[in-house]
Amino acid sequence: RDDPLRTLRALRFGARGFDLSTDALDEMKLHASAVTGLSASGYASGTVLDEMSKILMGHNVVEALRIARDTNVLATLFPELSAMLGFDQGSRYHDLTTDEHTFIALEHAAQLEAPLRVRWALLFHDSGKPETWWKGTDGRKHYYAMPQKEQDYRRARTIDIRPDSLLDHEVVSERLWLSAADRINVTKRLRDD
């Protein structure tokens, strides 16, 4: 309650392999809405970037991120990621929700000892999928820019076309990353990488 960013420290310990008590998890849920890290100026303190980077570099990053998701800390800290949490990809290529797919990718990155920039990229790489999907005639969701032929078909039948479905998901994912990176004061080099 006194310092909501201590939640991030607990998650960092979780990423190192420590177990968090039921009481700690309950407190994290109770105070999740305060874990924005934002100052009066609207930007996050350096603690957010520092602790999140340490979480992402942890060997048990998946467990820490699942806890962050389940306690609502992840969506509060990064509203850019909230739409992907639990999002069913409905694709023949992905049988996991977008967040679980992301977590597994991060788990592999940890096993390969990937650098921090790769792990930040993985955290946001599919965040644009919930905004860009469109359902094809195959009944599955697609995440690349809707082809002109499909647009023409939909317009002729007055079927609504969401603006972001005209973009590839990685374009929207990049936009979401840049929004988060700006708010948490990511260095220019890390942001660009």
Side-chain angles (χ1 to χ4, degrees):
R1 178 180 22 219
D2 295 336
D3 183 3
L5 292 181
R6 287 188 180 166
T7 297
L8 298 180
R9 187 167 302 135
L11 290 169
R12 175 170 42 108
F13 289 131
R16 288 183 177 172
F18 289 89
D19 290 328
L20 300 178
S21 71
T22 303
D23 289 343
L25 295 172
D26 290 343
E27 288 293 313
M28 290 168 75
K29 280 183 189 176
L30 183 64
H31 300 290
S33 64
V35 187
T36 63
L38 297 179
S39 67
S41 66
Y43 291 93
S45 78
T47 304
V48 173
L49 177 60
D50 185 50
E51 292 291 352
M52 274 306 299
S53 294
K54 289 175 181 174
I55 291 166
L56 290 174
M57 292 304 290
H59 67 275
N60 201 12
V61 61
V62 173
E63 184 59 30
L65 289 175
R66 284 184 179 135
I67 291 170
R69 175 197 61 203
D70 297 345
T71 57
N72 204 34
V73 169
L74 190 59
T76 300
L77 193 58
F78 295 108
E80 298 86 357
L81 299 178
S82 62
M84 78 171 215
L85 302 178
F87 179 74
D88 179 6
Q89 296 187 76
S91 164
R92 65 180 169 184
Y93 303 110
H94 296 292
D95 60 345
L96 299 173
T97 59
T98 307
D99 54 330
E100 282 299 320
H101 163 75
T102 297
F103 296 163
I104 297 302
L106 280 161
E107 182 175 52
H108 290 294
Q111 291 168 356
L112 296 170
E113 299 181 5
L116 179 62
R117 63 191 168 92
V118 171
R119 296 183 196 209
W120 273 110
L122 286 172
L123 182 61
F124 280 85
H125 84 280
D126 277 346
S127 59
K129 282 188 171 181
E131 292 182 41
T132 60
W133 73 272
W134 56 277
K135 192 174 279 190
T137 56
D138 60 358
R140 298 189 181 272
K141 292 178 182 173
H142 299 275
Y143 304 99
Y144 50 85
M146 185 184 295
Q148 189 62 51
K149 182 177 177 181
E150 181 70 20
Q151 292 176 46
D152 295 342
Y153 173 85
R154 288 170 182 250
R155 285 188 180 107
R157 287 157 183 76
T158 64
I159 299 172
D160 187 41
I161 299 175
R162 292 178 296 112
D164 280 342
S165 66
L166 303 178
L167 300 171
D168 291 330
H169 80 275
E170 60 269 20
V171 172
V172 175
S173 297
E174 179 187 21
R175 181 175 71 210
L176 294 170
W177 158 247
L178 291 173
S179 169
D182 183 52
R183 191 179 61 259
I184 64 170
N185 300 311
V186 171
T187 64
K188 181 177 178 354
R189 181 172 181 182
L190 179 58
R191 182 177 308 165
D192 292 347
D193 282 353

